[in-house]
Amino acid sequence: ATNNGYYGVYAFNSRSGIFEHSYASGGGDSGFYIGQCKPCDGVVRDVVAELNNVGFAGVNTTGVVIEDSTWRRNRAGIVIGSFDHELLPPQQADIVRNNVVEGSGDLAATAPLVRDLDVLYGIGIVVIGGLDNVIEDNTVRDSARLGIAVTPNPAIGINFWPAERNRVSRNTVSASGEYDLGFVAVPGIG
């Protein structure tokens, strides 16, 4: 899927699907997208996403496995989170493992169609307001800003969504522009 406008490969309100052996480039939102499913029971495996705004975006997903894939030269690599613009929040229990995420923050990648999304620019992997996710055994290198980040969603939309019980382990993160690992806390909450 190349230069399709908004998304490359997309699943919404779906269950028990798999994206594999696929390529996506030039998406103004994301190369691969899964959203609004509880449970999703989806798998993204052996895919390549490059030069998209976001390589993979998962919004209000539960039980998605993202593994054994390459996410390169996107504005942001892998983004999962809880957002009010879709049903079934919060996002929870996704697994991101054994991926290569490199060159996040490439200015040659497709710019976001919604400018507010550029806040994700330069992040390799990020959990935004997600619960019980596992981020493990990934290689993340050359992110313009942050290698791996976990942050609450501080009421972008209507609700505050915390980031709780997420596990980040056994990743190799290097050459990030600002920080290899980051946890963003919201002052005065909790």
Side-chain angles (χ1 to χ4, degrees), residues 108-141:
T110 303
L113 297 175
V114 178
R115 290 289 173 197
D116 292 344
L117 293 178
D118 222 19
V119 69
L120 303 171
Y121 172 83
I123 302 175
I125 300 172
V126 62
V127 175
I128 303 169
L131 308 172
D132 304 306
N133 297 290
V134 176
I135 313 298
E136 66 184 7
D137 299 319
N138 300 286
T139 299
V140 182
R141 58 182 169 254

Side-chain angles (χ1 to χ4, degrees), residues 166-187:
N166 296 289
R167 189 176 80 215
V168 178
S169 66
R170 299 189 316 260
N171 298 284
T172 302
V173 185
S174 62
S176 303
E178 295 175 16
Y179 303 101
D180 286 335
L181 299 172
F183 174 78
V184 180
V186 177

Side-chain angles (χ1 to χ4, degrees), residues 15-56:
R15 186 170 180 189
S16 300
I18 185 167
F19 297 159
E20 66 181 346
H21 316 306
S22 299
Y23 174 85
S25 178
D29 182 283
S30 54
F32 293 87
Y33 181 91
I34 298 177
Q36 188 180 298
C37 43
K38 189 172 277 189
C40 301
D41 300 325
V43 176
V44 179
R45 176 188 306 129
D46 188 30
V47 303
V48 174
E50 62 185 352
L51 298 171
N52 300 283
N53 176 49
V54 175
F56 174 84

Side-chain angles (χ1 to χ4, degrees), residues 89-112:
Q91 180 282 325
Q92 61 192 82
D94 288 354
I95 299 171
V96 180
R97 67 179 170 216
N98 200 34
N99 295 281
V100 174
V101 182
E102 57 190 355
S104 297
D106 194 314
L107 291 172
T110 303

